[in-house]
Amino acid sequence: MISTQTRHGVDRLQREASNKLEFFVHLGKRLGLLRVGATKFDDFGKGNEFLENFREEFVHRNGQYLSLDLQHDEEKGFAEILLEELESAHDDDPLRINLPLTVSKSPFFRRAIAWQRLCDRLVEDEEPGRPTLLVLEHFDEADERTQQDVERLIRFHITYNIRRTFLLTLRDETSEISPSLLRLVELRIEI
């Protein structure tokens, strides 16, 4: 038997995936996985198109949508990158306590200060009525430390009951995700 997928069928699948994701975020669920390019009819461009269309609708409905690409190896740690993204989204609302990251040349102290600033920003940024989504693209290509930092951040949100949904995008079918992180996954979407 030969089956074919029409463009209409792909659009329908993406619309269903979008509806599932929006419902998931509005329920305040914590962690979802999006496998991009899971079908032979899709490529990473379609995954980007799906996320961009979702972002437009989500922001239009007063949601907060942030996206970080974890594919690029950066000098900065995950906490610093996310903190910059959050601060750029809130230029008009500076942190009450704002320790400079350059207090010490020690990587340990720099990382500790970045995490403290990030945690302060997350607590101050919390608006229970606003649906919030953080998309972490190319999670499967991030180094082990970044993946551990993501899990640490999710657990911080759980501990302090901060309402933010995380969506990890994966490209590789054989991606290794830590079992402790997999236990937190509540939604799986394949497009």
Side-chain angles (χ1 to χ4, degrees), residues 175-191:
S175 300
E176 295 270 340
I177 298 177
S178 73
S180 59
L181 187 59
L182 276 176
R183 283 191 289 275
L184 299 174
V185 173
E186 299 174 276
L187 174 72
R188 294 171 194 259
I189 299 175
E190 295 186 1
I191 59 169

Side-chain angles (χ1 to χ4, degrees), residues 153-184:
L153 184 66
I154 292 169
R155 291 193 183 283
F156 175 82
H157 280 71
I158 292 168
T159 300
Y160 291 96
N161 201 27
I162 298 173
R163 188 172 182 212
R164 175 171 282 109
T165 300
F166 295 82
L167 181 67
L168 310 179
T169 69
L170 308 171
R171 177 78 171 163
D172 187 4
E173 294 276 335
T174 61
S175 300
E176 295 270 340
I177 298 177
S178 73
S180 59
L181 187 59
L182 276 176
R183 283 191 289 275
L184 299 174

Side-chain angles (χ1 to χ4, degrees), residues 24-154:
F24 184 72
V25 174
H26 282 282
L27 286 177
K29 297 294 187 176
R30 193 62 66 203
L31 179 61
L33 294 179
L34 172 65
R35 190 165 310 276
V36 178
T39 67
K40 63 184 177 181
F41 307 105
D42 196 15
D43 58 22
F44 197 69
K46 296 290 182 209
N48 286 340
E49 179 184 317
F50 167 77
L51 288 172
E52 184 59 29
N53 290 340
F54 182 82
R55 183 193 65 76
E56 287 177 16
E57 291 178 28
F58 190 68
V59 170
H60 179 69
R61 294 183 183 127
N62 295 323
Q64 182 190 53
Y65 180 103
L66 298 171
S67 177
L68 294 178
D69 188 348
L70 301 179
Q71 182 178 26
H72 305 294
D73 191 357
E74 300 278 340
E75 287 181 18
K76 299 176 184 175
F78 173 73
E80 288 181 64
I81 295 168
L82 179 55
L83 180 61
E84 286 177 2
E85 188 70 24
L86 286 168
E87 287 178 346
S88 70
H90 293 284
D91 284 337
D92 58 336
D93 187 19
L95 281 170
R96 287 180 288 152
I97 301 170
N98 201 3
L99 294 172
L101 286 174
T102 57
V103 167
S104 173
K105 294 185 192 247
S106 164
F108 173 79
F109 287 119
R110 183 176 179 88
R111 180 174 159 81
I113 291 170
W115 272 101
Q116 184 61 53
R117 286 179 63 193
L118 176 60
C119 292
D120 290 345
R121 169 52 78 187
L122 292 169
V123 170
E124 288 184 13
D125 191 42
E126 170 65 0
E127 291 181 31
R130 176 187 64 190
T132 304
L133 177 66
L134 174 59
V135 177
L136 299 170
E137 298 182 47
H138 302 102
F139 182 76
D140 49 349
E141 296 179 32
D143 61 24
E144 186 177 349
R145 183 174 197 153
T146 301
Q147 290 187 13
Q148 290 170 349
D149 285 348
V150 169
E151 184 173 348
R152 175 183 178 184
L153 184 66
I154 292 169

